[in-house]
Amino acid sequence: LAQALLPWGGPMARRVDRLWTKTYRVDEDRGIEISLIEDPTTWDSDEHCTHFCLWDAAKVLIQFCAGFEDAFWRERRVLEVGAGLGTVGMYAARRGAHVRLTDLPRAVDLMQRNVRANGLQSRCRTGVLAWGSQPAEQYDLLLGSDLTFDLSRPKSVELLLDTMAHCACEAWIAVEHRPGEVENWEAALGARQAAYQVVHQAVGTARRSNPVSVYKVTWL
């Protein structure tokens, strides 16, 4: 594999020339583990490319999802947007949901590999979903994590909200507390007259982690 520079690096950034597989115990109480193929060589310095590893916001969203019994997830139709590796959606599938995992085209190959690695092909479909589009399918629940990190592109949040409002009557979105991010997210929700509440908050496991809040969003 070609070498790639990790995105969080500056002059001291290191280069990597391999992918790896990690196993995460995402639900300690139920003993649920998910194997993830993480590939930093997919990062492109010219793109906002964040799909190659598991981020704290996804871990915190899974914590919240774990608080619901199997009966809640059984046969539920779930859409994950900006799914990256597909971890949150695969967790929902392990609990019994039928899940569609979506992201940009460059993320889908790695997402598909992770679905196969976990034997979830019968429960998870993968594909491209452009924010702002209006798919014909309707879902019981929309999931998303770390979707609002790029404050330089506020239009993308508006497009995300368009898709959220069209696809599902309820969404659970995990937002990391980076400077200005929560304020901009809540302002965007207010402008769309969406009803929202913070239903869970935790600090991630990475070094220097910020708090992450999970928002339950419904449409008035």
Side-chain angles (χ1 to χ4, degrees), residues 21 70 76-77 104 149-150 182:
T21 300
D70 289 344
R76 190 167 291 265
R77 297 166 300 168
L104 297 173
F149 68 94
D150 186 7
V182 167

Side-chain angles (χ1 to χ4, degrees), residues 126-138:
T126 61
V128 175
L129 179 63
W131 293 359
S133 63
Q134 298 186 349
E137 293 178 273
Q138 292 292 302

Side-chain angles (χ1 to χ4, degrees), residues 125-212:
R125 293 179 296 138
T126 61
V128 175
L129 179 63
W131 293 359
S133 63
Q134 298 186 349
E137 293 178 273
Q138 292 292 302
Y139 298 87
D140 302 310
L141 179 64
L142 183 147
L143 300 173
S145 57
D146 240 345
L147 306 178
T148 58
F149 68 94
D150 186 7
L151 299 177
S152 68
R153 299 191 297 177
K155 182 63 175 176
S156 66
V157 175
E158 296 177 20
L159 294 174
L160 167 63
L161 292 174
D162 285 343
T163 297
M164 287 170 56
H166 179 79
C167 289
C169 60
E170 183 172 322
W172 299 348
I173 307 295
V175 178
E176 186 171 334
H177 287 233
R178 289 177 282 254
E181 188 165 344
V182 167
E183 294 82 359
N184 281 272
W185 168 242
E186 291 184 354
L189 291 173
R192 296 296 295 268
Q193 295 186 317
Y196 66 89
Q197 64 181 123
V198 175
V199 291
H200 182 66
Q201 188 174 96
V203 177
T205 58
R207 284 195 311 168
R208 303 190 184 92
S209 291
N210 298 313
V212 175

Side-chain angles (χ1 to χ4, degrees), residues 19-209:
L19 55 78
W20 52 76
T21 300
K22 297 180 182 179
T23 299
Y24 293 89
R25 177 157 289 209
V26 295
D27 188 334
E28 190 69 39
D29 292 342
R30 297 177 180 86
I32 296 177
E33 295 182 340
I34 293 178
S35 295
L36 293 178
I37 302 168
E38 299 182 326
D39 186 3
T41 65
T42 61
W43 181 69
D44 183 341
S45 60
D46 294 327
E47 298 285 349
H48 294 273
C49 189
T50 59
H51 65 270
F52 63 84
C53 69
L54 179 61
W55 299 95
D56 277 341
K59 297 175 186 178
V60 173
L61 183 53
I62 290 173
Q63 287 177 10
F64 177 67
C65 292
F68 292 79
E69 297 300 325
D70 289 344
F72 173 86
W73 294 106
R74 193 171 299 122
E75 305 305 318
R76 190 167 291 265
R77 297 166 300 168
V78 175
L79 172 68
E80 185 180 4
V81 297
L85 300 176
T87 317
V88 180
M90 287 193 293
Y91 174 77
R94 289 286 301 272
R95 299 292 305 279
H98 293 285
V99 182
R100 183 183 178 196
L101 304 169
T102 65
D103 209 315
L104 297 173
R106 61 179 175 267
V108 172
D109 178 66
L110 190 57
M111 188 192 305
Q112 290 173 337
R113 292 171 68 181
N114 278 298
V115 169
R116 291 194 297 269
N118 288 276
L120 290 170
Q121 299 94 316
S122 65
R123 287 276 172 183
C124 293
R125 293 179 296 138
T126 61
V128 175
L129 179 63
W131 293 359
S133 63
Q134 298 186 349
E137 293 178 273
Q138 292 292 302
Y139 298 87
D140 302 310
L141 179 64
L142 183 147
L143 300 173
S145 57
D146 240 345
L147 306 178
T148 58
F149 68 94
D150 186 7
L151 299 177
S152 68
R153 299 191 297 177
K155 182 63 175 176
S156 66
V157 175
E158 296 177 20
L159 294 174
L160 167 63
L161 292 174
D162 285 343
T163 297
M164 287 170 56
H166 179 79
C167 289
C169 60
E170 183 172 322
W172 299 348
I173 307 295
V175 178
E176 186 171 334
H177 287 233
R178 289 177 282 254
E181 188 165 344
V182 167
E183 294 82 359
N184 281 272
W185 168 242
E186 291 184 354
L189 291 173
R192 296 296 295 268
Q193 295 186 317
Y196 66 89
Q197 64 181 123
V198 175
V199 291
H200 182 66
Q201 188 174 96
V203 177
T205 58
R207 284 195 311 168
R208 303 190 184 92
S209 291

